[in-house]
Amino acid sequence: SDQQIVDRLAADLLAVEISPEARAAMLEYVRAERSAKEIPEGQLLEKKGYGESILRQTAHLILSLPEAQLN
C-alpha cells in the first residue's frame, strides 16, 4: 500500500522517526503521482518504469527532510 511504501522508505532512510506532517506529505505525494499515472494502489511496484520513478522521487523527498539532516 502507499502507507507501507512511505513507512518503509522513511524507516530505511531516516535515523529518527518521520514527523506526522512529513509522513502525510509523502503519502499525499505518492498517492498523487500514482493516481496521475493511473496505477491502482498496491500495484506501484509492478509498474517498473513509472513505479521506480515515483519511488526514487519519494526517497529524494524523504532525504530532503530536516529529519534526514541530523548527525
Side-chain angles (χ1 to χ4, degrees):
S1 72
D2 296 343
Q3 291 179 349
Q4 290 172 313
I5 288 170
V6 169
D7 290 345
R8 179 62 184 261
L9 284 173
D12 286 350
L13 298 172
L14 299 175
V16 297
E17 189 171 325
I18 190 170
S19 71
E21 297 83 13
R23 183 181 181 276
M26 296 301 116
L27 186 55
E28 180 56 34
Y29 173 80
V30 171
R31 285 181 178 155
E33 290 296 309
R34 183 182 48 72
S35 294
K37 303 289 191 234
E38 299 180 356
I39 301 171
E41 184 169 3
Q43 295 185 11
L44 185 62
L45 299 178
E46 296 172 14
K47 304 294 182 182
K48 301 284 188 227
Y50 291 132
E52 182 177 347
S53 175
I54 293 169
L55 292 174
R56 286 178 184 266
Q57 186 61 28
T58 304
H60 176 76
L61 291 172
I62 289 171
L63 289 172
S64 298
L65 292 170
E67 290 94 328
Q69 309 308 315
L70 302 173
N71 287 330

